[in-house]
């Protein structure tokens, strides 16, 4: 398993080290090797590093508060794992089609969030005009369609999760 140190991640992602450490304290469980003065530098698995990066994106770019970002990460955790965004891609992992996914984070008046994932999947054949055909899907995360229709969501914020994941891979893989 590959592990990363805070300094490496902060430098390669162009995030101040103090901010990276703060985000890691906010979005991860306490370091199992010790506390602040244990003498051990925290090591991050790929999952933990991407989780901190994503949480930081929610706070720094989408302007969620730390508690809101923490709740969103908890809500999306199983979806991110199922869709292999928490695993380091291996050399033999060659997807047949490149899927683009956007996560819409709907904010109701209460403390409950709703999530929808919109995907564009290219198809193998071309249309008569020579353009590649695409299929669109919409998946709800943590909500049924009935609950989604019944909620009164005020607005949504969106992230291109695949572009963010590729950016993260490029930055830490090339360092």
């Amino acid at each position: 398993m590959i592990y990363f140190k805070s300094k490496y991640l902060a430098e390669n992602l162009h995030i101040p080290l103090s901010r990276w450490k703060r985000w890691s304290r906010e979005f991860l469980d306490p370091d199992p090797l010790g506390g602040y003065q244990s003498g051990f530098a925290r090591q991050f698995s790929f999952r933990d590093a991407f989780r901190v990066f994503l949480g930081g994106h929610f706070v720094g770019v989408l302007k969620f508060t730390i508690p809101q970002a923490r709740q969103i990460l908890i809500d999306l955790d199983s979806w991110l794992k199922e869709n292999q965004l928490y695993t380091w891609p291996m050399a033999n992992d060659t997807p047949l089609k490149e899927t683009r996914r956007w996560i819409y984070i709907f904010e109701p008046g209460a403390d409950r969030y709703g999530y929808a994932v919109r995907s564009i999947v290219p198809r193998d054949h071309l249309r008569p005009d020579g353009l590649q055909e695409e299929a669109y899907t919409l998946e709800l995360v943590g909500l049924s369609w009935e609950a989604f229709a019944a909620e009164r969501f005020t607005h949504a914020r969106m992230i291109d999760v695949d572009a963010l994941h590729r950016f993260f891979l490029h930055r830490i893989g090339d360092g």
Side-chain angles (χ1 to χ4, degrees), residues 109-129:
D111 290 335
R112 184 172 181 205
Y113 293 96
Y115 309 95
V117 180
R118 182 172 184 244
S119 302
I120 300 176
V121 183
R123 297 205 177 161
D124 291 333
H125 60 282
L126 299 177
R127 297 186 333 202
D129 59 4

Side-chain angles (χ1 to χ4, degrees), residues 102 118-121 123 133-138:
W102 292 265
R118 182 172 184 244
S119 302
I120 300 176
V121 183
R123 297 205 177 161
E133 197 170 286
E134 297 176 332
Y136 297 85
T137 63
L138 185 66

